[in-house]
Amino acid sequence: MRFNTMAFVAAISLAAPAFAQTAATDPAAPKPVKEKKVCRRETTTGSIIGARSTCHTRSEWAAIDAANARSTDDMLSHPNNRAASPR
């Protein structure tokens, strides 16, 4: 049993460099796409000149926007934050 395991590990260790070299030189292999940065200007509340620019990728902005939407929904749906209904 121990010999079979060692033979398997040896076979994998010999095949791994050949596979890595083939994958690295294969022109048909998809290349990772680098996303462009998108910058947004954010203003600081209570300041006239407190604006700054923040840059993230589109997917990062989508995640930030989704988190902000969830936070807003949670805040608005909390019973203590509801406005008193007129009687």
Side-chain angles (χ1 to χ4, degrees), residues 39-87:
C39 298
R40 292 185 184 174
R41 188 175 172 101
E42 297 178 342
T43 57
T44 305
T45 304
S47 175
I48 296 172
I49 57 172
R52 65 183 176 136
S53 187
T54 304
C55 301
H56 293 287
T57 62
R58 287 186 187 270
S59 59
E60 290 171 340
W61 278 122
I64 291 168
D65 291 341
N68 288 340
R70 277 192 309 273
S71 177
T72 301
D73 290 342
D74 289 345
M75 198 178 338
L76 292 175
S77 66
H78 194 275
N80 292 335
N81 291 338
R82 290 189 184 153
S85 59
R87 294 182 187 199

